[in-house]
Short mmCIF file of all heavy atoms in Angstrom, two decimals:
data_model
loop_
_atom_site.label_atom_id
_atom_site.label_comp_id
_atom_site.label_asym_id
_atom_site.label_seq_id
_atom_site.Cartn_x
_atom_site.Cartn_y
_atom_site.Cartn_z
N ALA A 82 99.75 106.14 117.99
CA ALA A 82 98.55 106.89 118.36
C ALA A 82 98.12 106.63 119.82
O ALA A 82 97.41 107.39 120.41
CB ALA A 82 97.42 106.58 117.40
N SER A 83 98.50 105.44 120.40
CA SER A 83 98.13 105.09 121.71
C SER A 83 99.11 104.04 122.20
O SER A 83 99.87 103.51 121.42
CB SER A 83 96.70 104.53 121.77
OG SER A 83 96.66 103.31 121.07
N GLY A 84 99.00 103.73 123.50
CA GLY A 84 99.84 102.62 124.01
C GLY A 84 99.44 101.30 123.36
O GLY A 84 100.26 100.48 123.02
N MET A 85 98.08 101.09 123.17
CA MET A 85 97.66 99.82 122.54
C MET A 85 98.13 99.77 121.10
O MET A 85 98.44 98.68 120.63
CB MET A 85 96.13 99.74 122.63
CG MET A 85 95.57 99.49 123.98
SD MET A 85 96.55 98.32 125.01
CE MET A 85 96.52 96.87 123.95
N ALA A 86 98.18 100.92 120.39
CA ALA A 86 98.70 100.87 119.01
C ALA A 86 100.19 100.45 119.01
O ALA A 86 100.65 99.80 118.08
CB ALA A 86 98.56 102.24 118.36
N ILE A 88 101.58 98.31 121.10
CA ILE A 88 101.60 96.87 121.31
C ILE A 88 101.12 96.12 120.04
O ILE A 88 101.69 95.15 119.61
CB ILE A 88 100.79 96.49 122.58
CG1 ILE A 88 101.40 97.21 123.81
CG2 ILE A 88 100.77 94.97 122.81
CD1 ILE A 88 100.55 97.09 125.08
N VAL A 108 99.02 91.78 133.17
CA VAL A 108 99.22 92.93 132.25
C VAL A 108 97.87 93.63 132.04
O VAL A 108 96.81 93.17 132.41
CB VAL A 108 99.76 92.45 130.90
CG1 VAL A 108 101.19 91.92 131.00
CG2 VAL A 108 98.91 91.43 130.23
N PHE A 109 98.01 94.78 131.41
CA PHE A 109 96.90 95.66 131.14
C PHE A 109 95.76 94.87 130.41
O PHE A 109 96.03 94.06 129.55
CB PHE A 109 97.38 96.78 130.21
CG PHE A 109 96.49 97.95 130.05
CD1 PHE A 109 96.09 98.74 131.10
CD2 PHE A 109 95.98 98.22 128.76
CE1 PHE A 109 95.22 99.79 130.92
CE2 PHE A 109 95.12 99.29 128.59
CZ PHE A 109 94.76 100.09 129.66
N SER A 111 93.47 95.43 128.12
CA SER A 111 93.36 95.51 126.69
C SER A 111 94.46 94.74 126.00
O SER A 111 94.28 94.26 124.90
CB SER A 111 93.34 96.96 126.22
OG SER A 111 92.27 97.64 126.73
N THR A 112 95.61 94.58 126.69
CA THR A 112 96.71 93.81 126.13
C THR A 112 96.28 92.31 126.01
O THR A 112 96.48 91.67 125.01
CB THR A 112 97.96 93.92 126.96
OG1 THR A 112 98.30 95.33 127.06
CG2 THR A 112 99.17 93.22 126.38
N PHE A 150 106.35 88.86 126.95
CA PHE A 150 105.78 90.22 127.20
C PHE A 150 105.48 90.39 128.67
O PHE A 150 104.78 89.57 129.25
CB PHE A 150 104.48 90.37 126.38
CG PHE A 150 103.94 91.76 126.36
CD1 PHE A 150 104.23 92.59 125.30
CD2 PHE A 150 103.23 92.22 127.44
CE1 PHE A 150 103.71 93.90 125.29
CE2 PHE A 150 102.76 93.59 127.44
CZ PHE A 150 103.04 94.37 126.35
N GLU A 152 104.84 93.44 132.10
CA GLU A 152 104.79 94.79 132.72
C GLU A 152 105.40 94.63 134.10
O GLU A 152 105.10 93.70 134.77
CB GLU A 152 103.36 95.17 132.96
CG GLU A 152 102.65 95.90 131.84
CD GLU A 152 101.15 95.97 132.12
OE1 GLU A 152 100.74 96.17 133.29
OE2 GLU A 152 100.44 95.81 131.17
N ASN A 156 100.11 95.92 137.45
CA ASN A 156 98.92 96.65 137.87
C ASN A 156 97.81 95.66 138.26
O ASN A 156 97.50 94.77 137.49
CB ASN A 156 98.44 97.47 136.67
CG ASN A 156 97.17 98.27 136.85
OD1 ASN A 156 96.82 98.47 138.03
ND2 ASN A 156 96.54 98.66 135.80
N ASP A 181 106.54 96.51 128.90
CA ASP A 181 105.69 97.66 128.98
C ASP A 181 106.23 98.49 130.16
O ASP A 181 106.03 98.09 131.34
CB ASP A 181 104.25 97.19 129.14
CG ASP A 181 103.26 98.34 129.16
OD1 ASP A 181 103.64 99.45 129.59
OD2 ASP A 181 102.11 98.12 128.77
N ASN A 182 106.85 99.63 129.91
CA ASN A 182 107.52 100.40 130.94
C ASN A 182 106.71 101.59 131.43
O ASN A 182 107.26 102.61 131.88
CB ASN A 182 108.89 100.89 130.40
CG ASN A 182 109.91 101.22 131.52
OD1 ASN A 182 109.79 100.72 132.64
ND2 ASN A 182 110.86 102.06 131.19
N CYS A 183 105.41 101.40 131.37
CA CYS A 183 104.45 102.49 131.64
C CYS A 183 104.57 102.98 133.11
O CYS A 183 104.58 104.15 133.40
CB CYS A 183 103.08 101.94 131.33
SG CYS A 183 101.76 103.08 131.62
N PHE A 184 104.64 102.00 134.05
CA PHE A 184 104.57 102.37 135.46
C PHE A 184 105.85 103.13 135.95
O PHE A 184 105.74 104.04 136.74
CB PHE A 184 104.35 101.15 136.34
CG PHE A 184 102.91 100.85 136.59
CD1 PHE A 184 101.95 101.04 135.56
CD2 PHE A 184 102.45 100.41 137.81
CE1 PHE A 184 100.65 100.77 135.74
CE2 PHE A 184 101.11 100.15 138.04
CZ PHE A 184 100.18 100.31 136.99
N VAL A 201 107.79 99.10 125.30
CA VAL A 201 106.58 99.79 124.80
C VAL A 201 106.04 100.72 125.87
O VAL A 201 106.29 100.49 127.06
CB VAL A 201 105.46 98.81 124.34
CG1 VAL A 201 105.89 98.01 123.13
CG2 VAL A 201 105.04 97.88 125.47
N HIS A 202 105.39 101.80 125.42
CA HIS A 202 104.88 102.78 126.36
C HIS A 202 103.45 103.16 126.02
O HIS A 202 103.08 103.27 124.85
CB HIS A 202 105.70 104.07 126.25
CG HIS A 202 106.83 104.14 127.22
ND1 HIS A 202 106.64 104.26 128.55
CD2 HIS A 202 108.16 104.04 127.00
CE1 HIS A 202 107.82 104.25 129.13
NE2 HIS A 202 108.77 104.11 128.24
N SER A 203 102.69 103.42 127.07
CA SER A 203 101.52 104.23 126.92
C SER A 203 101.97 105.66 127.36
O SER A 203 102.13 105.87 128.55
CB SER A 203 100.37 103.74 127.86
OG SER A 203 99.37 104.71 127.88
N ALA A 204 102.22 106.53 126.39
CA ALA A 204 102.62 107.88 126.72
C ALA A 204 101.57 108.65 127.40
O ALA A 204 101.77 109.68 128.07
CB ALA A 204 103.02 108.58 125.43
N THR A 205 100.30 108.11 127.32
CA THR A 205 99.10 108.69 127.93
C THR A 205 99.32 108.88 129.45
O THR A 205 98.65 109.72 130.07
CB THR A 205 97.94 107.69 127.73
OG1 THR A 205 97.96 107.26 126.33
CG2 THR A 205 96.65 108.28 128.05
N LYS A 206 100.13 108.08 130.03
CA LYS A 206 100.26 108.05 131.52
C LYS A 206 101.34 109.03 131.95
O LYS A 206 101.17 110.19 131.76
CB LYS A 206 100.54 106.62 131.98
CG LYS A 206 99.60 105.56 131.35
CD LYS A 206 98.12 105.72 131.75
CE LYS A 206 97.17 104.92 130.90
NZ LYS A 206 97.54 103.48 130.71
N CYS A 214 96.58 113.78 126.74
CA CYS A 214 96.61 113.18 125.38
C CYS A 214 96.76 111.65 125.44
O CYS A 214 97.33 111.14 126.38
CB CYS A 214 97.81 113.72 124.59
SG CYS A 214 97.63 115.37 124.07
N ILE A 215 96.28 111.02 124.38
CA ILE A 215 96.56 109.59 124.20
C ILE A 215 97.69 109.40 123.20
O ILE A 215 97.73 110.05 122.18
CB ILE A 215 95.29 108.89 123.57
CG1 ILE A 215 94.05 109.14 124.48
CG2 ILE A 215 95.53 107.42 123.36
CD1 ILE A 215 93.92 108.25 125.65
N GLY A 216 98.65 108.53 123.58
CA GLY A 216 99.75 108.24 122.67
C GLY A 216 100.56 107.08 123.18
O GLY A 216 100.36 106.57 124.30
N GLY A 217 101.49 106.61 122.36
CA GLY A 217 102.34 105.48 122.74
C GLY A 217 103.61 105.45 121.98
O GLY A 217 103.90 106.36 121.20
N ASN A 333 92.26 106.16 135.23
CA ASN A 333 93.50 106.64 134.65
C ASN A 333 94.61 106.76 135.74
O ASN A 333 94.31 106.75 136.91
CB ASN A 333 93.34 107.96 133.95
CG ASN A 333 94.46 108.29 133.01
OD1 ASN A 333 95.07 107.38 132.44
ND2 ASN A 333 94.80 109.55 132.91
N LEU A 334 95.82 106.83 135.31
CA LEU A 334 96.95 106.97 136.24
C LEU A 334 98.04 107.77 135.56
O LEU A 334 98.04 108.04 134.40
CB LEU A 334 97.46 105.59 136.62
CG LEU A 334 98.02 104.67 135.54
CD1 LEU A 334 99.50 104.80 135.37
CD2 LEU A 334 97.63 103.21 135.87
C1 PLP B 1 97.15 102.52 129.73
C2 PLP B 1 98.05 101.43 129.51
C3 PLP B 1 98.19 100.83 128.26
C4 PLP B 1 97.40 101.26 127.05
O1 PLP B 1 97.75 102.56 126.68
P1 PLP B 1 96.69 103.51 125.91
O2 PLP B 1 97.45 104.76 125.70
O3 PLP B 1 95.51 103.70 126.76
O4 PLP B 1 96.35 102.83 124.63
C5 PLP B 1 99.08 99.80 128.13
N1 PLP B 1 99.85 99.37 129.19
C6 PLP B 1 99.67 99.87 130.40
C7 PLP B 1 100.50 99.38 131.56
C8 PLP B 1 98.79 100.92 130.63
O5 PLP B 1 98.66 101.44 131.88
#
Side-chain angles (χ1 to χ4, degrees):
S83 67
M85 289 320 301
I88 300 170
V108 293
F109 193 64
S111 297
T112 304
F150 190 99
E152 270 169 37
N156 178 18
D181 184 330
N182 201 24
C183 180
F184 270 39
V201 293
H202 269 290
S203 169
T205 314
K206 313 294 167 48
C214 287
I215 303 279
N333 197 33
L334 59 94

